[in-house]
Amino acid sequence: MTKKKKMPEIALANAKKVANCKALQKKIQALYKKVAADLAKEAAKIPKDGKVSEKIKRNYLDQYVKQLEKEIDKLEETIYKEVQVRMGLTAQAVVDANIKWMGKAGLNLAGAFDTIPEEVVKNLIYGKVYKKNWTFSKALWKADSKIKKDIHTIVAEGLAKQKPTFDIAKDLEKYVNPSAKKPWDWNKVYPGTSKKVDYSAQRLARTLLQHAYQQTYRQVIKKNPFVTGVIWHSVFAYGRTCQACMDRDGQRFDKGKEPLDHPMGLCYLEPEIPLSMDEIVDQLADWAHGGHHPDIDEYVRDAFGHSGR
Ligand SMILES: [Zn+2]
């Protein structure tokens, strides 16, 4: 426990990751809710039953579905951008934490590591850190396609069950709203459709933020001579933390050898720092006065090598 205090700034970086996650989660929810609200306005335009022919009602519904699909595409684009912004902020928080900590020890790294957040985001969204042929845009597109498939299932099942057009429209609205409570028999009426429309997007967002945090962490401590390893910490969230993560809690890894957390992971990392802060301050002071410390030389060179100068 005493070790934890050696780089308190890093706990702050994790807190920022959590805050970014929450903000993003709310944003994604709000985006879907907005689509549902827009749909509600459209549904109001559908003529009530008995007033118009079946054919006209079908036309209304088709228009309605088309509009919905367009909105889902727009939403996908917005999510794609928003997630990257939050990934960048999370990565930056880790960079800042390290700079701040080194600053406290007497090493001014202001402006260092400044290309890392962008590199990390790119490597993740283009799937470079994953083995499979995966990209964020493809994954989002897949999630989007599933939503569209669900929309068509709802329309087809609704028509087959001879539900009034207005009711089908209302069910679509319910489907798109992640906060709308679905009736208990939802999956019986609309088999195979998701009960939480934003589940896939949320899962991707959360995982990418966690990985942005981890990857940046790996980059910034890589050459830091005072950090000798990585200690894994589990959050022990009730019902959320899995056994593998609980078992991994407190485990030490060599730098760069810690695993990537699984999807939606919440774990955080702690640097292993064997020296006391005073010892670090002394070494840095000696280095500043011309003392021979090739590891510090290399660290500083690497830190600013990332600044594009
Ligand atoms: Zn786990």
Side-chain angles (χ1 to χ4, degrees), residues 35-87:
V35 174
D38 290 347
L39 279 181
K41 271 186 234 154
E42 280 302 306
K45 293 182 196 159
I46 297 174
K48 292 285 170 288
D49 275 337
K51 291 204 178 131
V52 290
S53 72
E54 230 11 81
K55 199 168 167 268
I56 289 177
K57 277 194 286 177
R58 241 345 268 272
N59 280 343
Y60 265 100
L61 196 60
D62 288 345
Q63 281 307 312
Y64 186 83
V65 167
K66 255 188 214 146
Q67 194 212 331
L68 178 52
E69 285 184 331
K70 251 189 237 159
E71 297 231 21
I72 295 291
D73 286 338
K74 251 198 278 169
L75 194 141
E76 182 189 328
E77 260 175 61
T78 310
I79 292 174
Y80 189 63
K81 286 182 204 142
E82 289 283 334
V83 171
Q84 287 182 65
V85 169
R86 293 288 170 183
M87 286 169 81

Side-chain angles (χ1 to χ4, degrees), residues 3-43:
K3 262 190 182 171
K4 257 186 195 164
K5 298 209 172 69
K6 281 208 179 159
M7 200 196 276
E9 293 81 4
I10 205 69
L12 212 67
N14 186 59
K16 282 194 179 157
K17 173 195 84 183
V18 173
N20 274 308
C21 252
K22 278 195 184 138
L24 190 55
Q25 191 187 351
K26 271 196 188 153
K27 175 79 191 180
I28 292 172
Q29 251 178 19
L31 285 166
Y32 281 99
K33 275 190 195 169
K34 169 83 170 53
V35 174
D38 290 347
L39 279 181
K41 271 186 234 154
E42 280 302 306

Side-chain angles (χ1 to χ4, degrees), residues 20 24 28 76-92 117-126 134-138 140 201 204-206 208-209 212:
N20 274 308
L24 190 55
I28 292 172
E76 182 189 328
E77 260 175 61
T78 310
I79 292 174
Y80 189 63
K81 286 182 204 142
E82 289 283 334
V83 171
Q84 287 182 65
V85 169
R86 293 288 170 183
M87 286 169 81
L89 289 173
T90 301
Q92 192 60 50
E118 208 187 314
E119 274 166 35
V120 163
V121 172
K122 284 217 168 104
N123 284 339
L124 285 165
I125 63 162
Y126 296 128
W134 185 97
T135 68
F136 180 37
S137 71
K138 268 197 273 180
L140 261 186
L204 285 166
R206 215 178 212 150
L208 282 167
L209 249 67

